[in-house]
Amino acid sequence: MRKSIFVIAALFAATFANAQITLEHTFEGGSLFTHTDGGGISQDQTNRIQAPYFYIWDETSSDVTYSCWLELYDPETLDLYKKIVFEKYTLIHYITKNIFTTDNKVAFIANDKIMNEDKEVVYDFNLGDPYYLRYDLVKFNGNYKLVARTSYGSNGKTYIYSLPGNGEAQAISNPSPKRNARKVAREGQVLVETENSTYTLQGQEVK
């Protein structure tokens, strides 16, 4: 029974940490609007989401090299929190925390991908040239959705994605077997030891 609880707890924690972004619907042609002030106004004017940090986007280039970077500054101390460097031209949208993910890391749209502050890809939209992509981050009944458009007009497409976070940090409540467990090394193998039993990393009890 303890083995089953331990394995279930580990699977639950892994599932929670990798909460999913889900494509809910695709509209063919035309443009789907989310604000009453209409389609002629850009996303930055219609839908402002508070960023968790002050930020600067900048770039440098020469005949042989190019890079751009995102600097995040603490809004209270104004200290630099993190500098994220990209080796190619990167359009940045919606710097957030606990909306695209639930792990309390900064996450943002970079071209046609969602990335976190460690430059790990959270989600790849794979929608083509990022220059022609437009995004809206909207909130309905406490839940965020992302609206992505490939272009405007009859040849365009609009994609609606559900997002895992609500803007607040979410804690994991772990069952006691996982809370009391610790990793140990034995004969070159990493094992997980609880108060009463020892398991392999795959959840098999060691006699």
Side-chain angles (χ1 to χ4, degrees), residues 19-207:
Q20 295 298 306
I21 296 169
T22 304
L23 176 62
E24 291 187 334
H25 193 75
T26 301
F27 290 93
E28 300 282 345
S31 297
L32 178 75
F33 299 116
T34 58
H35 297 84
T36 57
D37 34 11
I41 301 176
S42 71
Q43 61 184 9
D44 290 336
Q45 292 173 302
T46 59
N47 193 17
R48 293 180 180 272
I49 302 296
Q50 179 67 54
Y53 292 91
F54 292 159
Y55 63 91
I56 295 174
W57 182 95
D58 209 344
E59 61 181 326
T60 183
S61 62
S62 67
D63 292 339
V64 293
T65 62
Y66 174 88
S67 67
C68 61
W69 57 88
L70 178 66
E71 296 177 356
L72 303 174
Y73 290 88
D74 187 291
E76 293 185 359
T77 66
L78 301 182
D79 293 333
L80 178 66
Y81 167 68
K82 184 164 287 192
K83 181 176 181 178
I84 306 166
V85 179
F86 303 91
E87 289 71 34
K88 64 179 183 179
Y89 184 74
T90 304
L91 293 169
I92 301 295
H93 307 269
Y94 293 121
I95 297 170
T96 69
K97 185 182 283 190
N98 297 315
I99 295 177
F100 296 132
T101 64
T102 56
D103 57 6
N104 211 35
K105 290 186 178 182
V106 173
F108 49 87
I109 300 173
N111 288 342
D112 62 342
K113 298 176 177 63
I114 294 177
M115 303 181 72
N116 67 16
E117 60 186 59
D118 299 322
K119 289 182 67 175
E120 298 169 335
V121 176
V122 175
Y123 190 87
D124 189 344
F125 294 108
N126 195 28
L127 296 178
D129 190 340
Y131 182 80
Y132 295 101
L133 297 178
R134 299 292 182 269
Y135 300 99
D136 279 314
L137 184 59
V138 295
K139 191 174 186 180
F140 295 104
N141 298 323
N143 298 312
Y144 284 95
K145 294 180 185 290
L146 184 70
V147 181
R149 302 179 180 87
T150 55
S151 66
Y152 288 95
S154 59
N155 294 325
K157 290 186 178 181
T158 301
Y159 304 86
I160 310 297
Y161 299 87
S162 62
L163 304 177
N166 61 6
E168 299 178 0
Q170 300 180 27
I172 303 175
S173 177
N174 295 325
S176 57
K178 183 166 178 63
R179 183 177 64 245
N180 297 330
R182 64 188 183 96
K183 287 184 180 180
V184 296
R186 184 187 299 173
E187 298 178 356
Q189 184 179 12
V190 178
L191 303 173
V192 178
E193 190 176 76
T194 66
E195 292 178 354
N196 301 307
S197 301
T198 303
Y199 304 93
T200 66
L201 294 180
Q202 290 73 38
Q204 182 177 358
E205 186 173 2
V206 177
K207 302 296 184 182

